[in-house]
């Protein structure tokens, strides 16, 4: 009887009267019948009814917790959808602003790569792995050209 009474109270605590009133009603009815059987000293019937009451109360409690969880999930799902809608609207507005700003700007001009200076010239190929040599054209043929150096990635 004590276990049945504790389960009934636990079912009431999770608001089983709102979420599963049928199973809670069955549990309460069987508990009342068990109390009547105890008063008549019919202990076997009282024990059986108390056990059924406990089981019905557990069922009502489980269904109530499930229903409360579903209601909470539904609420959070709705809130998430509202947030998604707000984000989508904000992104759409931002895109429209970006497009209107881009429409007001002058078109960008294409730039061409800058050619190499005319004073530089590639020398003869050198052995593989030795890098390459560059030296400027000698504008004055009377002066000897400066000695060439091998470029090895900044290391001499």
């Amino acid at each position: 009887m004590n276990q049945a009474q504790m389960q009934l109270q636990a079912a009431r605590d999770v608001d089983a009267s709102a979420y599963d009133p049928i199973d809670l009603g069955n549990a309460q009815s069987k508990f009342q019948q068990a109390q009547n059987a105890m008063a008549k000293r019919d202990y076997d019937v009282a024990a059986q009814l108390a056990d059924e009451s406990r089981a019905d109360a557990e069922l009502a409690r489980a269904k109530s917790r499930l229903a409360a969880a579903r209601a909470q999930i539904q609420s959070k799902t709705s809130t998430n959808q509202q947030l998604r809608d707000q984000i989508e609207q904000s992104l759409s507005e931002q895109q429209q602003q970006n497009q209107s700003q881009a429409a007001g700007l002058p078109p960008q001009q294409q730039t061409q790569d800058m050619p190499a200076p005319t004073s530089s010239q590639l020398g003869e190929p050198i052995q593989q792995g030795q890098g390459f040599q560059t030296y400027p054209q000698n504008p004055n043929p009377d002066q000897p050209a400066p000695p060439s150096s091998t470029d090895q990635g900044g290391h001499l």
Side-chain angles (χ1 to χ4, degrees), residues 76-133:
K76 290 189 185 293
T77 300
S78 176
T79 300
N80 287 344
Q81 187 58 49
Q82 289 174 351
L83 291 173
R84 282 187 194 106
D85 291 344
Q86 288 176 357
I87 289 170
E88 188 175 310
Q89 182 179 1
S90 176
L91 288 174
S92 176
E93 289 172 0
Q94 194 173 27
Q95 277 183 330
Q96 288 175 353
Q97 287 177 353
N98 290 343
Q99 287 174 353
S100 66
Q101 287 176 352
L105 295 176
Q108 293 183 351
Q109 295 178 350
Q110 293 291 331
T111 59
Q112 295 180 348
D113 288 337
M114 180 179 259
T118 57
S119 64
S120 68
Q121 163 183 351
L122 291 176
E124 293 296 320
I126 58 174
Q127 295 178 352
Q128 186 175 1
Q130 299 295 316
F132 59 89
Q133 291 181 326

